[in-house]
């Protein structure tokens, strides 16, 4: 069910963006893009640091943290148990949201730059 709402939200954002962006001056689109990048990085970087710290703490306490685990930490999600899973993956998804916001900001900044006279 969550996936359906994500698709609906994405379609709405794309439709609204397609209608509103051409009405804005290119400088406003560029500024919105830069703001989106800043907000996305401001959300994504701290939450991803917390995610990695929590994952390392939980699995390290049980001795289930392999060497060089940070290269592919998502492979370790299956090792998380009940409450651990919720506590760790909450930060994972917040970091992912920051990444998506950053990408949207990059796209808006690119569009604004391309619209420049």
């Amino acid at each position: 069910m969550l996936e359906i709402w994500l698709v609906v939200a994405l379609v709405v954002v794309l439709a609204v963006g397609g209608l509103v962006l051409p009405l804005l001056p290119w400088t406003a689109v560029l500024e919105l893009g830069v703001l989106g990048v800043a907000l996305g990085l401001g959300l994504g970087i701290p939450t991803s640091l917390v995610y990695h710290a929590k994952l390392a703490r939980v699995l390290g306490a049980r001795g289930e943290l392999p060497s060089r685990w940070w290269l592919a930490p998502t492979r370790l999600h299956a090792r998380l148990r009940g409450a651990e899973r919720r506590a760790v993956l909450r930060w994972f998804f917040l970091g992912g949201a920051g990444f998506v916001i950053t990408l949207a900001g990059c796209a808006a900044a690119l569009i604004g730059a391309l619209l420049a006279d």
Side-chain angles (χ1 to χ4, degrees):
M1 188 66 173
L2 174 64
E3 293 84 4
I4 292 173
W5 287 111
L6 289 174
V7 169
V8 169
L10 181 62
V11 168
V12 168
V13 166
L14 289 174
V16 170
L19 294 173
V20 172
L21 285 180
L23 302 175
L24 297 174
W26 71 268
T27 54
V29 176
L30 182 65
E31 290 169 357
L32 284 172
V34 171
L35 179 64
V37 170
L39 290 174
L41 290 175
L43 172 66
I45 291 173
T47 55
S48 65
L49 290 173
V50 172
Y51 157 71
H52 283 87
K54 285 187 173 284
L55 183 64
R57 187 176 331 128
V58 167
L59 296 180
R62 291 199 308 256
E64 294 186 32
L65 194 65
S67 62
R68 297 170 45 142
W69 62 272
W70 63 89
L71 296 175
T74 56
R75 293 181 185 164
L76 302 174
H77 290 178
R79 298 182 184 188
L80 295 171
R81 300 174 186 152
E84 297 171 346
R85 178 178 287 283
R86 284 186 295 279
V88 171
L89 294 185
R90 173 181 306 133
W91 296 99
F92 174 76
F93 290 117
L94 284 172
F99 178 70
V100 170
I101 293 169
T102 302
L103 288 181
C106 288
L110 176 64
I111 290 169
L114 292 174
L115 292 174
D117 295 334

